[in-house]
Amino acid sequence: MLLAVLNYAGIAVFAASGALIGVRKRLDLFGVWTLAALTGVGGGVARDVLLGIHPPASFQGWENLTTATIAAAFVFVFHPQFGRLKLSVVVLDAIGMGVFSAAGALTALHHDASPFAAALIGITAALGGGVLRDILVNEVPLLIQERDLYAIPALAGAGATVLASYWGATDARSLLVGAVLATGFRLLALWQGWRVPVAPENVARQFYRGCRWLLRR
């Protein structure tokens, strides 16, 4: 029951983030709904495909798409109350990522996946919908945008869920630990401006010059 509730919560917040971007891009009602639905269920579909669940759960019944539709309709009507759309998108995206990373990992464990595979599937569930959303609106996915920490918090949340379950925690506690850790990690990284390091330019240039010198000899 808790896994299902968190799954619906993740779909709702991801769909809301997709709908907010659709509003910001001035899409029509159908465009906003399409973006919200793909964002909401995309990660879950990817998770189910990896787990061999055919057809994916989002296509088996009306619940998941209905949840995404309600979230899209709410945002379409009341989006002025969300204030700054960009900030709202980022916060909702962080919550959805946290919920889906934890729920995806636990779902994988329930389908007899190894702990390592469960963590990777949790990351896939967390990132899939957001990547689809950003590609559809021709934006650089948050996964790689400005070196922001995104996949790493998802990995932390999925890994924490797997470890908590392995150490005997209940499903509820495992989900709570993973979702809170991933969401908090992502928001803290945004607040503090943490970035993934890149290779220093001067080191790369020196390495290139060194290689050229060796080739000349």
Side-chain angles (χ1 to χ4, degrees), residues 11 14-15 17-19 30-46 58-59 64-65 68-69 72 100 125 127-137:
I11 290 173
F14 260 148
S17 74
F30 183 76
V32 170
W33 175 82
T34 301
L35 202 60
L38 288 176
T39 307
V41 305
V45 170
S58 296
F59 302 150
N64 289 353
L65 283 176
T69 299
F100 263 43
L127 304 183
V131 170
L132 279 176
R133 175 200 65 208
D134 294 336
I135 291 174
L136 285 174
V137 296

Side-chain angles (χ1 to χ4, degrees), residues 52-124:
I53 303 173
H54 302 297
S58 296
F59 302 150
Q60 288 277 34
W62 54 269
E63 295 89 351
N64 289 353
L65 283 176
T66 300
T67 301
T69 299
I70 293 172
F74 184 83
V75 170
F76 190 82
V77 174
F78 298 106
H79 68 86
Q81 280 68 40
F82 279 84
R84 297 177 60 187
L85 292 182
K86 186 173 183 179
L87 178 60
S88 300
V89 168
V90 170
V91 172
L92 288 174
D93 187 85
I95 296 172
M97 179 272 291
V99 169
F100 263 43
S101 64
L106 191 61
T107 299
L109 290 176
H110 286 178
H111 284 80
D112 299 323
S114 69
F116 182 73
L120 293 181
I121 290 172
I123 299 172
T124 302

Side-chain angles (χ1 to χ4, degrees), residues 5 15 24 32 53 77 101 112 131 142 150 155 172 174 188 193 195-196 200 217:
V5 170
R24 194 179 71 192
V32 170
I53 303 173
V77 174
S101 64
D112 299 323
V131 170
L142 287 174
Y150 195 81
L155 174 60
S174 300
L188 182 61
R195 297 286 187 271
V196 178
R217 294 180 65 88

Side-chain angles (χ1 to χ4, degrees), residues 142-195:
L142 287 174
L143 173 61
I144 57 175
Q145 188 180 108
E146 297 178 353
R147 296 178 282 125
D148 281 345
L149 294 181
Y150 195 81
I152 293 176
L155 174 60
T161 301
V162 171
L163 286 176
S165 180
Y166 180 77
W167 288 335
T170 63
D171 286 352
R173 291 181 179 177
S174 300
L175 286 169
L176 183 63
V177 167
V180 170
L181 176 62
T183 301
F185 191 176
R186 168 66 175 161
L187 293 177
L188 182 61
L190 289 170
W191 179 41
Q192 294 294 327
W194 293 343
R195 297 286 187 271

